C-alpha cells in the first residue's frame, strides 16, 4: 500500500528491517522450517489455458495501479494464463474471504491478513497451502528477511503464530504514522511537527484555537480505530511492552499505558480535536479532507502515500512518527502488507506460485515504487527527495526498522481481537465506553485466549 515518487531504502535496509522486526517475532530470526512434503513443485506453469482467480485488497490508488500493471505484465509473460481479479477493501475482504475459501470453488490466490483472526483461522481450517517448497524454489527464503517471513508463518494446526510453516509472502512494507500539514501548522504558530504524544496534544490545542480542525479521522470501516489507538499506545508504552503484549508474553490491556492511550483519545474527542461523528465518516473521506488542507493531522498508514501525493495540499504534507518518553527514536506499528497465499484446493499451484513471485519480486518492487508504493524489500537506487512525502516515509521506515522499533498490529493478539478492538474503539470514540471499560473489554478477550 503506498504511492508515487520513489520510496527508497537500499537493499541494506532489508537487513535493517530484519533486525528491526526480530523483536516483534517470537522465535528469533531463524527462517521458517520446511513444511511437510506436498509433492514436486516446478516453475513450469504449463501451456494449457488456465484461469487464476485472485482476491486482493489493493484498492487504494497507488497500489491498485501497480497491481493492475503487474497483472497485465504477468498475462503477457504467460499468455495461456488469465487473471480473474477480485479486489475488495480490507473490511470487505475480512467479511467475505472465509466464506469464499470454504466454498466448492475457492480462489487460487488470496491476500490473507496475518495473525490469529484470519491467517491462523484459515490455516486451522485447512484453507491455505504451506509454501516453504515454493520459497526455496523461487528464493523467497533468501530474498525476504527471515523475521518478515516469520510474520507470515504459523504452526500447521493454526494455533501458533510465527510457527514453522510459511503461508505466504508480502508485497509491501508498512508504517502507521502521523501525516501533518505544514501550512496549517504555520498558521497556528507551529514551526515543526510534534515528536511525542504530549506535544501532539499541545499542537492540537493550538490548531483548534487557530480555527482549524486538528485531526481528520473516519472509522466507518472500523479498521482505522486500530491505527489510531496503536499509534498512541506505541508512542506511550514503547516497542518492547507493545510487542510482548500482542505476542502474549507479558503485560495487560488494562495496564497504565494502555489506559492512558485510551484517555488521550477520549480527551481529543471531548475537546473537539477530532472529526465530529467520526464513526459515520469513511477513512477515504477523512483522508480527502486532510488532503484539501482542512485539518492539521491524519493518523493512518503509508499505503495512503499515493493518494496524498495527488492531493491539493501535497507540497505541504509531511510524515513522521512519535517517540516515547526516554526512547532514542520513534516507535510505531507496521511491518508488511497482507500475505499473498495459495489456497489448498487450487488445481494450479505452480501457476499460483509463479503469479505470487511475479507480483512480489525485485522487478515488481520497481513497479510498486514507480506507482508510489513502499515495497517489502525496497530496490537499490531509489532516493526520493528530502522533504517530500515519499522522502519522509522512506526516512522513517529506514530509521524505525533499523532501530528495532516497529510494533505489530494489535489485532494479531487473539483470534477474535480484530472484532473486539474495532467495536470497542467505536464505543470509546462515541463516548459509549470509558477508557477503563474499553481496556477491560480488550483484556477480557485477551485473557481468555492467553490462558488456553
Amino acid at each position: 500500500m503506498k504511492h508515487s515518487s520513489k520510496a527508497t531504502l537500499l537493499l541494506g535496509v532489508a537487513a535493517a528491517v530484519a533486525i528491526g522486526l526480530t523483536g516483534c517475532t517470537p522465535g528469533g530470526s531463524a527462517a521458517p522450517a520446511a513444511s511437510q512434503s506436498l509433492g514436486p513443485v516446478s516453475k513450469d506453469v504449463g501451456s494449457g489455458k488456465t484461469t487464476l482467480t485472485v482476491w486482493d485488497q489493493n484498492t487504494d490508488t497507488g497500489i491498485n495501479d501497480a497491481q493492475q500493471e503487474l497483472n497485465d505484465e504477468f498475462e503477457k509473460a504467460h499468455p495461456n494464463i488469465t487473471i480473474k481479479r477480485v479486489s475488495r477493501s480490507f473490511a470487505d475482504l475480512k467479511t467475505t474471504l472465509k466464506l469464499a475459501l470454504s466454498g466448492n470453488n475457492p480462489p487460487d490466490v488470496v491476500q490473507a491478513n496475518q495473525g490469529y483472526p484470519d491467517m491462523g483461522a484459515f490455516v486451522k481450517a485447512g484453507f491455505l497451502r504451506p509454501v516453504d517448497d515454493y520459497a526455496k524454489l523461487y528464493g523467497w527464503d533468501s530474498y525476504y528477511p527471515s523475521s518478515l517471513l516469520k510474520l507470515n508463518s504459523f504452526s500447521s494446526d493454526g494455533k501458533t503464530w510465527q510457527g514453522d510453516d510459511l503461508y505466504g509472502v508480502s508485497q509491501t512494507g508498512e508504517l502507521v504514522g502521523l501525516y501533518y500539514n505544514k501550512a496549517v501548522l504555520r498558521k497556528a504558530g507551529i514551526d515543526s511537527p510534534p515528536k511525542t504524544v504530549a506535544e501532539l496534544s499541545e499542537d492540537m490545542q493550538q490548531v483548534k484555537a487557530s480555527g482549524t480542525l486538528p485531526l481528520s479521522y473516519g472509522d466507518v470501516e472500523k479498521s482505522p480505530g486500530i491505527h489510531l489507538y496503536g499509534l498512541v499506545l506505541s508512542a506511550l508504552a514503547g516497542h518492547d511492552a507493545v510487542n510482548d503484549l500482542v505476542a502474549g508474553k507479558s503485560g495487560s490491556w488494562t495496564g497504565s499505558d494502555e489506559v492512558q492511550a485510551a484517555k488521550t483519545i477520549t480527551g481529543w474527542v471531548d475537546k473537539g480535536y477530532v472529526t465530529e461523528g467520526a464513526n459515520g465518516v469513511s477513512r477515504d473521506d477523512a483522508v480527502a479532507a486532510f488532503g484539501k488542507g482542512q485539518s492539521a493531522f491524519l493518523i493512518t498508514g503509508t499505503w495512503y502515500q499515493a493518494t496524498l501525493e495527488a492531493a491539493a495540499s501535497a507540497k505541504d504534507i509531511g510524515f513522521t512518527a512519535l517517540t516515547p518518553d526516554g526512547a532514542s527514536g520513534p516507535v510505531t506499528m507496521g511491518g508488511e502488507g497482507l500475505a499473498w497465499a495459495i489456497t489448498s484446493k487450487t488445481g494450479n499451484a505452480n501457476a499460483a506460485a509463479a503469479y505470487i513471485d511475479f507480483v512480489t519480486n525485485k522487478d515488481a518492487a520497481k513497479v510498486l515504487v514507480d506507482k508510489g508504493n513502499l515495497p517489502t524489500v525496497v530496490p537499490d537506487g531509489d532516493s526520493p527527495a528530502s522533504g517530500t512525502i515519499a522522502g519522509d516515509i522512506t526516512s522513517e521506515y529506514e530509521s524505525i526498522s533499523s532501530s528495532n522499533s516497529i510494533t505489530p498490529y494489535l489485532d494479531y493478539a487473539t483470534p477474535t481481537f480484530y472484532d473486539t478492538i474495532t467495536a470497542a474503539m467505536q464505543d470509546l470514540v462515541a463516548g459509549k465506553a470509558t477508557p477503563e471499560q474499553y481496556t477491560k473489554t480488550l483484556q477480557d478477550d485477551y485473557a481468555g485466549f492467553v490462558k488456553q
Side-chain angles (χ1 to χ4, degrees):
M1 318 172 92
K2 249 108 306 80
H3 186 261
S4 111
S5 200
K6 315 251 172 122
T8 274
L9 290 197
L10 300 179
L11 258 181
V13 174
V17 173
I19 296 171
L21 290 181
T22 297
C24 303
T25 56
S29 60
S35 64
Q36 65 270 30
S37 175
L38 295 169
V41 296
S42 173
K43 293 184 179 181
D44 183 0
V45 299
S47 57
K49 292 293 184 181
T50 301
T51 297
L52 281 181
T53 300
V54 177
W55 280 42
D56 69 60
Q57 60 104 48
N58 291 340
T59 58
D60 293 325
T61 302
I63 191 64
N64 179 69
D65 293 346
Q67 194 62 52
Q68 192 56 57
E69 181 172 326
L70 290 170
N71 285 356
D72 291 344
E73 291 180 0
F74 180 81
E75 288 182 333
K76 289 178 182 177
H78 303 282
N80 63 308
I81 300 178
T82 298
I83 302 300
K84 181 182 178 181
R85 183 187 181 195
V86 178
S87 187
R88 300 178 181 272
S89 69
F90 177 74
D92 287 345
L93 191 73
K94 283 190 68 68
T95 58
T96 59
L97 184 54
K98 186 173 183 179
L99 181 62
L101 290 175
S102 63
N104 293 327
N105 296 295
D108 300 284
V109 177
V110 299
Q111 279 192 301
N113 193 29
Q114 297 90 338
Y116 291 104
D118 295 300
M119 182 179 283
F122 299 158
V123 171
K124 184 177 181 179
F127 294 155
L128 301 182
R129 179 198 190 282
V131 295
D132 301 87
D133 45 6
Y134 285 115
K136 290 183 178 180
L137 180 68
Y138 283 100
W140 302 338
D141 53 358
S142 58
Y143 178 66
Y144 294 95
S146 56
S147 55
L148 292 187
L149 293 176
K150 270 293 185 182
L151 294 179
N152 292 335
S153 301
F154 260 93
S155 59
S156 59
D157 59 7
K159 293 183 178 180
T160 304
W161 177 44
Q162 300 181 46
D164 289 335
D165 290 339
L166 180 66
Y167 284 93
V169 292
S170 296
Q171 189 178 39
T172 54
E174 294 180 357
L175 288 180
V176 173
L178 180 72
Y179 290 94
Y180 59 94
N181 187 299
K182 302 167 192 175
V184 173
L185 294 184
R186 284 195 299 269
K187 176 188 171 186
I190 302 168
D191 296 327
S192 59
K195 295 182 179 180
T196 65
V197 172
E199 288 182 8
L200 176 57
S201 295
E202 292 170 3
D203 287 352
M204 285 185 176
Q205 180 182 23
Q206 209 163 324
V207 170
K208 176 74 172 178
S210 74
T212 303
L213 176 70
L215 178 68
S216 283
Y217 177 62
D219 193 30
V220 74
E221 299 88 354
K222 291 190 173 184
S223 59
I226 297 174
H227 306 145
L228 177 62
Y229 183 68
L231 178 136
V232 176
L233 178 59
S234 296
L236 289 177
H239 168 270
D240 291 351
V242 176
N243 174 71
D244 289 350
L245 179 60
V246 175
K249 293 182 177 180
S250 64
S252 167
W253 292 97
T254 53
S256 58
D257 287 325
E258 287 73 15
V259 174
Q260 184 56 42
K263 286 182 176 179
T264 297
I265 293 169
T266 57
W268 292 348
V269 173
D270 292 344
K271 293 173 183 176
Y273 296 168
V274 180
T275 302
E276 186 176 358
N279 288 342
V281 177
S282 74
R283 62 173 193 154
D284 287 345
D285 285 346
V287 171
F290 172 77
K292 294 174 183 176
Q294 295 174 2
S295 65
F297 301 111
L298 175 72
I299 293 174
T300 190
T302 48
W303 49 87
Y304 268 114
Q305 179 187 328
T307 300
L308 292 172
E309 284 178 336
S313 63
K315 63 181 178 60
D316 292 318
I317 295 174
F319 178 88
T320 191
L322 303 178
T323 301
D325 290 340
S328 59
V331 175
T332 194
M333 290 196 312
E336 57 187 336
L338 273 61
W340 288 94
I342 300 175
T343 61
S344 57
K345 292 183 181 179
T346 181
N348 304 299
N350 285 340
Y355 173 79
I356 291 174
D357 182 70
F358 194 92
V359 301
T360 61
N361 64 24
K362 62 182 180 180
D363 292 327
K366 295 176 182 177
V367 175
L368 291 165
V369 168
D370 288 343
K371 300 296 184 183
N373 303 279
L374 182 65
T376 309
V377 179
V378 182
D380 284 332
D382 282 315
S383 297
S386 177
T388 63
I389 300 173
D392 287 353
I393 286 174
T394 294
S395 176
E396 289 292 82
Y397 186 65
E398 179 177 17
S399 173
I400 295 172
S401 298
S402 62
S403 63
N404 190 24
S405 297
I406 294 180
T407 60
Y409 290 106
L410 305 184
D411 57 302
Y412 292 176
T414 84
T416 54
F417 211 70
Y418 177 87
D419 290 337
T420 298
I421 191 172
T422 54
M425 271 299 294
Q426 287 197 333
D427 286 345
L428 181 72
V429 170
K432 295 179 180 179
T434 65
E436 291 79 9
Q437 290 169 333
Y438 164 79
T439 52
K440 183 180 184 300
T441 296
L442 303 190
Q443 182 61 24
D444 288 346
D445 182 319
Y446 181 76
F449 177 71
V450 171
K451 289 178 181 178
Q452 294 179 6

